[in-house]
Amino acid sequence: MGKLFGTDGVRGIANQELTIEMSYKLGQAGAYVLTKEKKHKPTILIGRDTRISGEMLEAALISGICSVGANAVSIGIVPTPAVAYLTRLYNADAGVVISASHNPVEYNGIKFFNNKGYKLSDQLEEEIEDIILNDSEKLEFPIGTKIGRVKHKKESITDYIEYAKSVIDINLEGMKIVIDCANGASYVSAPETLRQLGAEIFIIHNEPDGTNINKKCGSTHMEDLQQFVKQVGADIGLAFDGDADRCLAVDEQGNMVDGDQIMAVCGLYMKNKGLLKQDTIVATVMSNLGLFIMGKEKDVNIEQTKVGDRYVLEKMIEKGYNLGGEQSGHIIFLDENTTGDGLLTAIHLLDALKHSDKKLSELANVMEVLPQVLVNAKVSNENKYNYLEDKVIEEEIKKLEDKFHGEGRVLIRPSGTEPLIRVMIEGKDKEVLTKEANSLATLIENRLNI
């Protein structure tokens, strides 16, 4: 797989790129790097999403962890943010999630959290990579009583639900909510939490069978949710992705409310209550221009980072901000959790909606979403970082930047998790944007797949 870690852990097609051997080695190297300073026998928490390859990879990962003398605690199918929270709650030395988030079922991934529930720094990831790829450190393999043990703690999801309920003092009685669980890790926690908070709940895509995660459902395919919200006359629809670290919404008219709009609604609500630290929201370069325009109008500072929730988080920690995220619905409420948390995002949005005298469509109109077209160019992982070395591609990008200067923008970036280069163009005329984005994506594919 070359460089192992992308923007969100190690990810690839399970049993082809992300093999049992790789999972085993990640267990060994990850356990060693994250716990080598410990004087006691370390404990590592492991959670996974619903995809069929999860059990296989978990078995290999646990074997690797135990082989270097660390204990493993399997907490079963839980959202990614639950692992971040429970690692802290249980005083574990590290946490691991086996998930490929919003990707199709054939993919899987492995990402680590340190004992504070934060994703790893580049430096720690490089240290793990170096052990796996270059044997940079000689690992010790204990024998006898010093080998690690495995425990199974299936009641952990209840601890996460109780925490989510405690974050905001809110009663959702009288609210009608549709939830799309993406046949993924939120299928227990999201409906149960909102039901216990008093809402009337309708649930779709919450029958995971190992093969249907993210399949025409969840935050990447919202058509069913949009239709069902209108059908039952719900106040709001909520869509999670496969590992439930993302949440997008649908208003009462069936219109999508994306992560930028959710941050705008929640950010203004928090600002009005004096809870938005330094009146700042942290967004990425992919966020819609409308969010930045809203910020100027409402006196909210919008900071920008590279794409990837880890970079949003770094900026938040560095500057002391407490709200940030991505258009995809990966939103961090840092006062409450250390990573994107779809359920907490939903609760914050519901809190803002409940305490307004408006419908969600009215709240979301606080920012105008400018047309934005995103087209993926399929390019091999080996070639996806080479687009700037191709003069023809470079010249075409420059032409487009000149064309949209002043009333739009062009953003080209390799995906951190898939063999793709993302072409995003923003402006006023969607038809023109679509034509230009498709044309550039085709050129990139033709030039880099020779």
Side-chain angles (χ1 to χ4, degrees):
M1 291 174 69
K3 182 172 160 43
L4 301 180
F5 287 89
T7 54
D8 199 19
V10 178
R11 200 173 290 188
I13 295 174
N15 229 16
Q16 181 178 308
E17 296 168 318
L18 184 55
T19 60
I20 291 171
E21 291 82 3
M22 179 57 66
S23 186
Y24 176 70
K25 288 177 180 177
L26 281 164
Q28 289 180 323
Y32 172 77
V33 167
L34 288 168
T35 66
K36 62 182 176 181
E37 306 300 329
K38 309 293 180 188
K39 303 295 183 204
H40 61 275
K41 192 165 192 170
T43 297
I44 297 177
L45 216 59
I46 301 126
R48 61 183 175 87
D49 68 20
T50 57
R51 58 192 80 219
I52 193 170
S53 59
E55 291 174 326
M56 172 185 78
L57 294 172
E58 182 183 38
L61 184 81
I62 286 174
S63 295
I65 289 168
C66 293
S67 75
V68 293
N71 291 327
V73 178
S74 169
I75 58 175
I77 295 170
V78 295
T80 287
V83 176
Y85 167 68
L86 294 170
T87 298
R88 302 194 303 277
L89 181 70
Y90 299 157
N91 293 314
D93 297 287
V96 190
V97 179
I98 302 169
S99 172
S101 190
H102 60 287
N103 290 157
V105 67
E106 62 268 24
Y107 287 85
N108 217 325
I110 294 174
K111 52 189 165 188
F112 293 89
F113 292 108
N114 65 19
N115 65 335
K116 300 282 195 298
Y118 289 107
K119 289 181 183 174
L120 303 191
S121 65
D122 290 341
Q123 181 185 348
L124 279 177
E125 288 185 345
E126 285 162 11
E127 201 176 329
I128 292 170
E129 276 185 6
D130 213 22
I131 291 172
I132 294 172
L133 300 177
N134 305 314
D135 289 322
S136 62
E137 294 195 46
K138 196 72 178 167
L139 302 185
E140 292 183 13
F141 300 106
I143 60 172
T145 58
K146 293 184 179 178
I147 291 171
R149 306 196 71 161
V150 187
K151 288 183 181 177
H152 296 274
K153 195 176 174 71
K154 300 300 184 187
E155 71 277 13
S156 297
I157 193 68
T158 304
D159 291 331
Y160 175 62
I161 289 170
E162 288 303 313
Y163 175 67
K165 283 164 49 186
S166 73
V167 164
I168 295 174
D169 185 12
I170 183 175
N171 185 327
L172 298 177
E173 282 182 21
M175 293 193 80
K176 192 183 279 193
I177 302 170
V178 181
I179 305 172
D180 182 344
C181 296
N183 291 314
S186 68
Y187 82 105
V188 172
S189 54
E192 193 56 33
T193 301
L194 300 186
R195 188 180 286 120
Q196 289 184 27
L197 288 173
E200 182 183 357
I201 299 295
F202 299 83
I203 319 166
I204 61 174
H205 302 303
N206 71 320
E207 296 180 352
D209 62 9
T211 68
N212 58 3
I213 187 171
N214 299 319
K215 190 174 182 181
K216 296 183 179 176
C217 60
S219 62
T220 50
H221 299 278
M222 303 203 24
E223 298 81 10
D224 284 359
L225 181 62
Q226 291 172 300
Q227 185 178 342
F228 203 73
V229 164
K230 290 190 290 184
Q231 188 178 319
V232 301
D235 298 298
I236 185 173
L238 299 166
F240 299 95
D241 66 336
D243 70 334
D245 61 356
R246 302 182 186 198
C247 176
L248 295 178
V250 169
D251 70 22
E252 77 288 350
Q253 297 171 3
N255 300 311
M256 191 172 90
V257 179
D258 69 16
D260 288 337
Q261 292 168 290
I262 291 172
M263 285 194 292
V265 170
C266 293
L268 285 176
Y269 180 63
M270 290 167 67
K271 180 176 185 279
N272 291 337
K273 292 178 74 177
L275 298 175
L276 184 65
K277 290 182 178 173
Q278 300 176 58
D279 290 343
T280 295
I281 298 171
V282 181
T284 75
V285 292
M286 290 286 278
S287 278
N288 194 280
L289 279 174
L291 180 65
F292 300 93
I293 294 167
M294 180 284 301
K296 285 179 183 172
E297 290 174 352
K298 303 292 185 182
D299 202 23
V300 174
N301 177 43
I302 312 289
E303 290 258 357
Q304 263 184 304
T305 73
K306 291 191 290 187
V307 172
D309 65 297
R310 62 187 301 166
Y311 303 113
V312 172
L313 180 60
E314 282 172 11
K315 177 73 75 174
M316 293 172 74
I317 294 169
E318 178 195 344
K319 297 288 184 72
Y321 305 136
N322 62 345
L323 174 61
E326 300 183 283
Q327 193 180 62
S328 61
H330 208 141
I331 299 172
I332 302 167
F333 292 87
L334 194 51
D335 292 336
E336 294 137 14
N337 209 347
T338 50
T339 188
D341 191 320
L343 184 53
L344 292 188
T345 298
I347 290 170
H348 274 277
L349 181 60
L350 291 168
D351 187 39
L353 180 59
K354 180 81 175 177
H355 287 93
S356 74
D357 56 356
K358 297 177 179 178
K359 296 183 182 296
L360 183 56
S361 58
E362 298 173 85
L363 280 183
N365 276 340
V366 71
M367 69 165 271
E368 179 190 1
V369 179
L370 295 179
Q372 197 177 54
V373 172
L374 178 65
V375 178
N376 291 323
K378 293 180 181 177
V379 178
S380 69
N381 278 320
E382 297 78 45
N383 290 340
K384 70 182 181 182
Y385 295 97
N386 298 337
Y387 68 98
L388 284 177
E389 295 170 17
D390 187 294
K391 291 292 181 191
V392 176
I393 295 173
E394 187 182 23
E395 285 171 16
E396 189 59 31
I397 291 172
K398 179 71 171 66
K399 270 190 216 168
L400 288 176
E401 286 173 340
D402 292 342
K403 177 173 182 174
F404 292 104
H405 183 69
E407 53 180 42
R409 59 185 178 135
V410 180
L411 182 67
I412 316 296
R413 71 171 193 93
S415 167
T417 57
E418 297 173 82
L420 302 170
I421 292 177
R422 305 197 191 282
V423 176
M424 192 272 281
I425 307 182
E426 198 169 42
K428 294 178 177 175
D429 188 328
K430 189 162 188 177
E431 200 173 310
V432 173
L433 300 178
T434 302
K435 180 185 170 190
E436 296 289 8
N438 279 315
S439 175
L440 180 55
T442 301
L443 176 68
I444 290 172
E445 286 181 348
N446 290 341
R447 299 288 299 180
L448 297 185
N449 288 323
I450 295 170

